[in-house]
Amino acid sequence: MSKSFPNQLFRSIRIKKPIDFPPKQGGNLSFRRLEPPLKVTTTTSTEGRNLKWAVKSGVVEEERATVVVDVEGLVGFLYEDLPHLFDERGIDRAMYDERVRFRDPITKHDTIDGYLFNIRMLKLLFRPEFQLHRTWQTGPYEITTRWTMIMKFTILPWKPELVFTGISIMGINPQTQKFCSHVDRWDSIKNNEYFSWEGVMEVVKQLRYYKTPDLETPKYQILKKTADYEVRKYAPYIVVETKGDKLSGSAGFNDVAGYIFGKNSSTEKIAMTTPVLTQASDHGSYNVSIQIVLPSEKNLGNLPEPNQEALSLRKVEGGIAAVSRFSGKPTEDIVQEKEAKLRAALLRDNLKPREGCLFARYNDPGRTWSFIMRNEVLIWLEDFALD
């Protein structure tokens, strides 16, 4: 395979199969050279003239040379280094060119100093949390990472939580064996080119206030955030439940609340959590239950039995769910409409929603203004995998 450019020729490049991280659970992380190493031989027609190397996310210059690129080692390095993006250790500056090109939809820098300044500013304005999901080779001089970044804006009184998910395309300079470019793409917008007003509006949209009580909630990890929904991975949790009447209804709430307030076999009072859930097992919502999630330190072995036959304890195994958030007074028509829109968006994106849904209410409707209420519709997914 060869590709012609003015005054130079790229010769065949041998590449091992794509490298995927993280390593298997319990394995030790080690870096090693590829065997055989990836070699790139270049020639120039004029002595001393620089050769421009094409990299998707950046361009670097190289003179006549024989270069060995340890892509596997760089994949492993990113998997170990990037989780330190916002902690005291930080990323390893020595692995980036001085003239590194950084771009996201609303920020750009062209030096490593500017890149590190951007990280410091995020730490100053927000309380950022970076989660690395996957790192893999996507080209001869390119590595891609998939991540979630959660940033609590501590300057504002209500401390909104901004969530971004996406990929970073990391360009490699084959001369220095360092990263020469870093380009971020957000899942929640279409126009990811700098400067993106769509990106600005995405930030502004996430600054709005949803009132979330300071109570325990089911544990989940955000895997992906699009313009229409979040994809979350829920850990298992236990509920006390009874029959309800409709998704937006409150029939049965006094019974499940009574269980945690001490109406159980040992008169034990159990801490309140949020949200209150109603679950419809089919599209028509004819089979509805109302549920309260029990504290995470509880299990089916140490919970008291309900006093009422209509109540039951059940472990929900968790899994992957798509979630749509909204505010306002949740009437039955509104909840059904939100469920239908969410399901349509999932089918449009070639995901596999299960039958039925859950409706989550985080607030006491009698004590919360409707425009700051946090309401969510959840639909469990089949066979979800991050791209």
Side-chain angles (χ1 to χ4, degrees), residues 131-158:
Q131 302 168 4
L132 181 63
H133 301 302
R134 187 184 173 206
T135 305
W136 73 105
Q137 181 183 352
T138 48
Y141 315 120
E142 181 182 281
I143 296 171
T144 298
T145 66
R146 171 157 280 284
W147 44 263
T148 295
M149 189 158 66
I150 302 171
M151 302 189 298
K152 183 169 287 188
F153 200 178
T154 56
I155 292 177
L156 295 178
W158 61 95

Side-chain angles (χ1 to χ4, degrees), residues 259-318:
Y259 172 83
I260 66 171
F261 294 151
K263 294 182 179 179
N264 52 61
S265 61
S266 63
T267 65
E268 178 185 354
K269 292 186 178 180
I270 300 170
M272 184 65 181
T273 64
T274 191
V276 174
L277 300 171
T278 45
Q279 178 173 0
S281 59
D282 53 52
H283 180 67
S285 300
Y286 300 117
N287 186 8
V288 176
S289 63
I290 188 166
Q291 308 165 355
I292 287 181
V293 180
L294 299 175
S296 57
E297 72 268 12
K298 295 293 185 180
N299 58 63
L300 293 178
N302 62 20
L303 281 165
E305 291 296 322
N307 287 341
Q308 302 181 48
E309 290 186 4
L311 297 182
S312 61
L313 301 173
R314 179 168 65 91
K315 182 178 180 180
V316 179
E317 293 300 331

Side-chain angles (χ1 to χ4, degrees), residues 49-92:
R49 182 174 180 178
N50 288 333
L51 171 64
K52 291 186 177 180
W53 294 77
V55 182
K56 287 184 180 180
S57 55
V59 176
V60 295
E61 294 187 351
E62 168 67 284
E63 295 181 343
R64 180 188 307 166
T66 300
V67 180
V68 177
V69 179
D70 185 6
V71 182
E72 181 177 0
L74 291 173
V75 168
F77 165 78
L78 287 176
Y79 181 71
E80 192 277 333
D81 190 64
L82 284 179
H84 299 287
L85 189 64
F86 295 115
D87 66 18
E88 291 302 317
R89 168 180 152 179
I91 60 173
D92 186 352

Side-chain angles (χ1 to χ4, degrees), residues 13-27:
I13 302 174
R14 299 179 63 190
I15 308 173
K16 296 185 76 174
K17 65 179 182 179
I19 306 147
D20 210 350
F21 272 72
K24 293 181 180 179
Q25 184 70 26

